[in-house]
Amino acid sequence: ISDRKATVNSSDGAQKLLRERLCHQKLPDQPVGLDSQYKHLLELLRRTAVHGESNSVLIVGPRGSGKTMLLGCVLRELMSLREVQKNVLLVELNGLLQTDDKIALKEITRQLHLENVVGDKVFGSFAENLAFLLEALKKGDKSSSRPVLFVLDEFDLFAHHKNQTLLYNLLDVSQSAQTPVAVVGLTCRLDVLELLEKRVKSRFSHRQIHLFSSLSFGQYVDVVRAQLSLPPDFPDPKFSDEWNHSVTKLCEDKTVEEILRRNFNGSKDFRSLHSLLFLAVSRVSVSHSTLREADLIEACRLISADSKANVLHGLSILELCLIIAMKHLNDTYDGEPFNFQMVHNEFKKFIQRKSHSIHKFEKPVVMKAFEHLLQLELVRPVDSGVCKVQREYQLMRLMLEHGQVMEALQKYPQCPTDVKQWALSAFG
């Protein structure tokens, strides 16, 4: 009994430790394989923080390539300098959150702790407001200002703001000698400079730091092994040795290698890898206290499951028939938008042919089913604005691929044969 209790405790402890590790990744001391980019960015920001030299730079790279990690490591190193700690101010904006310049300006004011200074003041323009904020940061003798680091995540989204006012004013300040400012943009778009207006582009320094993953599959497997291994100071050394041995064997397994290679080829992003490993570790229990091949196979199945195809499994037969009618309309009219009336006519043709197997539904009932598909976002209006057209004639698009519909039909419980045949037929 005592051995069983020890195994249960060790198994639970290992699972908890690994899940925490996979969920909360710590910043490394220095980004691996990004030495030149790290030194370049650190020197650039150090010149702003220490010498009051304004700069602007873009960090460009695909999602998961380490842009945020690189900046995080640089800022941590920078903030460890004594002359920087009490002097530099950091403002972090995100294009997904600050969707217009007004919201962005409020966030800048909040992060600089200047709400009381601004009070009820009314400003004529964005530039005037920003100039006032930066003026308020000047020290008592009004001769020197505190350096401000502006970090713009999802930089490309700020380019869609009206007249690009925020970008223009920030880059304009970074070009002038008024206040020491560094503007750091993070984006995954290589063509981001093409989005900038001429006046904005002329004020940007055109410094770009590119990050591209040079990770090999062997290194990727090493990361998996390191993430799943228990540390040497684990309370139960015997269990720790068994676990680490099972992890080594697992990484050498052909099926597991195939799963990892598929994941690696799809995305070298460690976040997707951590999601896969988290699901696998969550399957560890008392009955099997080590990781098995089956755990990774199941985790892979869950992570690659098609959420929209899963929604189709919960639809009624009527709703499924409407989806098939839309599929036929897509095939017939080569993906052109359709309206409810067209879908209803297609459905009526099918009912007339197969009236013995499918119940006849009144038009309001069919309309209700169509509206449910709209709520589930399986169908989307072409014009998202306020439309004055009658509901029956509003143009829609089906948000499903042909393959998704056919796959869902195969897995649909007790689907009538006539409905399956209708879906497979070339003509509605």
Side-chain angles (χ1 to χ4, degrees), residues 321-338:
C321 285
L322 293 182
I323 292 281
I324 294 167
M326 293 174 211
K327 181 191 84 71
H328 282 309
L329 287 169
N330 266 355
D331 294 345
T332 310
Y333 299 108
D334 199 21
E336 286 293 307
F338 50 82

Side-chain angles (χ1 to χ4, degrees), residues 318 340 344 361-371 391:
L318 170 58
F340 169 74
H344 188 246
F361 294 96
E362 296 296 321
K363 193 173 179 179
V365 178
V366 180
M367 185 67 185
K368 196 76 181 168
F370 187 80
E371 284 173 350
R391 282 186 309 170

Side-chain angles (χ1 to χ4, degrees), residues 153-331:
D153 208 347
E154 305 291 345
F155 182 86
D156 50 291
L157 297 181
F158 287 102
H160 296 302
H161 289 195
K162 191 183 176 184
N163 300 334
Q164 299 183 355
T165 313
L166 174 75
L167 294 181
Y168 172 76
N169 283 286
L170 285 179
L171 293 172
D172 190 45
V173 170
S174 75
Q175 284 283 296
S176 66
Q178 304 163 358
T179 312
V181 162
V183 180
V184 183
L186 287 86
T187 181
C188 53
R189 286 192 62 164
L190 292 168
D191 64 340
V192 66
L193 290 181
E194 303 305 314
L195 303 174
L196 301 180
E197 289 178 9
K198 197 175 178 182
R199 63 182 190 138
V200 179
K201 204 185 287 187
S202 67
R203 281 161 176 77
F204 175 55
S205 66
H206 288 264
R207 280 194 197 91
Q208 292 187 55
I209 296 173
H210 288 274
L211 305 186
F212 297 107
S213 180
S214 57
L215 194 73
S216 68
F217 181 66
Q219 290 171 316
Y220 189 79
V221 174
D222 289 341
V223 169
V224 172
R225 197 178 288 113
Q227 290 291 340
L228 293 178
S229 297
L230 292 175
D233 60 350
F234 190 74
D236 186 346
K238 188 186 171 191
F239 180 84
S240 176
D241 290 343
E242 281 178 22
W243 176 278
N244 290 345
H245 180 65
S246 73
V247 167
T248 305
K249 276 181 70 180
L250 192 71
C251 291
E252 290 166 0
D253 185 274
K254 288 288 177 197
T255 312
V256 170
E257 189 184 316
E258 198 178 303
I259 289 169
L260 293 177
R261 191 173 285 281
R262 200 182 314 141
N263 210 56
F264 174 77
N265 291 338
S267 167
K268 294 178 177 67
D269 181 0
F270 284 130
R271 282 171 289 198
S272 65
L273 173 65
H274 291 154
S275 301
L276 176 74
L277 299 182
F278 186 90
L279 288 171
V281 168
S282 299
R283 290 179 56 79
V284 173
S285 64
V286 181
S287 54
H288 68 277
S289 54
T290 55
L291 272 174
R292 302 171 305 168
E293 176 196 315
D295 297 330
L296 265 164
I297 293 170
E298 181 60 18
C300 183
R301 189 190 66 79
L302 287 170
I303 213 161
S304 59
D306 189 336
S307 56
K308 280 191 175 171
N310 288 343
V311 170
L312 291 178
H313 300 160
L315 298 180
S316 66
I317 292 293
L318 170 58
E319 287 162 350
L320 197 63
C321 285
L322 293 182
I323 292 281
I324 294 167
M326 293 174 211
K327 181 191 84 71
H328 282 309
L329 287 169
N330 266 355
D331 294 345

Side-chain angles (χ1 to χ4, degrees), residues 92-110:
E92 294 178 293
L93 302 175
N94 191 307
L96 294 167
L97 300 175
Q98 283 76 49
T99 49
D100 64 46
D101 293 341
K102 202 174 179 182
I103 299 169
L105 201 56
K106 274 187 180 176
E107 186 60 19
I108 293 169
T109 310
R110 188 189 70 77

